[in-house]
Amino acid sequence: MTKILVVDDESSIVTLLQFNIEKAGFDVVTAEDGRTGYELALAEKPDLIVLDLMLPEMDGIEVCKQLRQDKVETPILMLTAKDDELDKIIGLELGADDYLTKPFSPREVVARIKAILRRSAGKSADVELEVAPKEKALHVGDLKILTESYEVYLQDELLDLTPKEFELLLYLANHRGKVFSRDQLLDAVWNYDYIGETRIVDVHVSHLRDKIEADTKKPQYIKTIRGFGYKMENVRS
């Protein structure tokens, strides 16, 4: 059974989330402080972590940071207070996959969990994988994108991409030369409405550039189209 780790210091929220997530068919492990949550993430190896930002012992940002430093790539859904915009961005930059703002509905949490798990497993039918049936890899310049094993190589060196970075890169690579607004990328890759949250796209593009571009100030692959969005150049090797 798919295991979800819920880390929140409010017992009422933990109880509410555990009930609804288990009702949706998942196994649930809980913690009410960051240190215990971090230790359970290592010991229990959950399939996804629901992580509050404001935690005793060790806050959510530090938990996320430590897990990513430990090479733990478990998807993380962060829970944030209404106006913690800076914390949201920091969390995403440290490797969180998504966030929800309190107060939230348990139904929305379950929906986000299912969406993240689908994407992490590479089974989301909502992301366009427009690759010919016999094509095992997409080649863009020195990039090789393996669509079945969800791996990306740059000059034969395997890159360490998060599931969301992979999906964004694959979507852009499948539409080389086409310009997308940030809202279009949110809709296509994140698969639900993030009105006003286009910074998420910028953060992930920045991460991708750090990993695939020789010079991030003069990107070869992902170009910024001023006043509109981004496009993947049809780079030739």
Side-chain angles (χ1 to χ4, degrees):
M1 184 180 292
T2 302
K3 184 185 298 182
I4 309 298
L5 170 60
V6 175
V7 188
D8 196 298
D9 63 335
E10 296 184 52
S11 298
S12 59
I13 290 180
V14 171
T15 300
L16 180 67
L17 289 177
Q18 182 172 10
F19 173 80
N20 284 275
I21 294 171
E22 288 180 342
K23 186 178 178 181
F26 300 105
D27 188 21
V28 178
V29 180
T30 66
E32 295 190 10
D33 67 80
R35 176 65 60 184
T36 302
Y38 170 71
E39 293 171 353
L40 284 174
L42 297 178
E44 295 286 339
K45 295 181 172 56
D47 298 283
L48 182 143
I49 303 169
V50 179
L51 179 66
D52 188 30
L53 277 180
M54 302 300 293
L55 294 168
E57 303 292 333
M58 189 175 180
D59 66 30
I61 288 177
E62 186 62 24
V63 173
C64 183
K65 180 180 178 181
Q66 289 297 320
L67 289 174
R68 295 312 187 225
Q69 287 179 350
D70 293 339
K71 304 299 182 183
V72 176
E73 297 299 330
T74 305
I76 295 175
L77 171 60
M78 279 195 158
L79 305 179
T80 74
K82 185 174 182 179
D83 297 318
D84 287 343
E85 182 64 26
L86 178 61
D87 285 342
K88 295 173 188 175
I89 299 304
I90 292 173
L92 290 168
E93 289 177 341
L94 289 174
D97 295 80
D98 197 0
Y99 69 82
L100 265 178
T101 299
K102 294 181 178 180
F104 48 76
S105 72
R107 180 180 297 179
E108 175 70 359
V109 175
V110 171
R112 294 287 183 94
I113 287 172
K114 289 180 177 179
I116 294 170
L117 289 173
R118 285 198 306 270
R119 294 196 301 267
S120 298
K123 297 178 181 177
S124 176
D126 301 295
V127 177
E128 297 182 49
L129 305 180
E130 296 177 0
V131 182
K134 294 182 179 180
E135 187 175 11
K136 300 298 182 182
L138 267 171
H139 294 272
V140 184
D142 291 326
L143 286 173
K144 180 170 69 173
I145 305 170
L146 302 181
T147 61
E148 294 181 0
S149 59
Y150 305 98
E151 295 177 340
V152 178
Y153 290 82
L154 178 62
Q155 294 181 338
D156 296 324
E157 180 181 348
L158 179 62
L159 301 181
D160 183 17
L161 301 186
T162 66
K164 184 55 57 199
E165 290 166 359
F166 177 86
E167 289 184 13
L168 178 58
L169 180 64
L170 180 59
Y171 189 81
L172 289 170
N174 274 319
H175 300 84
R176 293 187 292 282
K178 183 175 180 179
V179 180
F180 290 98
S181 70
R182 291 166 176 82
D183 285 327
Q184 286 174 323
L185 290 172
L186 283 172
D187 183 62
V189 179
W190 275 259
N191 193 32
Y192 34 75
D193 199 357
Y194 269 94
I195 295 175
E197 302 293 352
T198 55
R199 174 72 171 133
I200 295 172
V201 176
D202 296 333
V203 167
H204 283 79
V205 167
S206 176
H207 285 177
L208 276 175
R209 283 176 171 163
D210 287 340
K211 296 174 181 180
I212 69 175
E213 301 286 2
D215 184 352
T216 57
K217 294 182 179 179
K218 297 179 180 179
Q220 179 184 16
Y221 292 99
I222 302 177
K223 295 292 184 70
T224 300
I225 308 303
R226 189 176 299 277
F228 194 77
Y230 300 102
K231 75 170 180 176
M232 171 74 83
E233 290 284 19
N234 194 18
V235 181
R236 298 189 181 278
S237 54

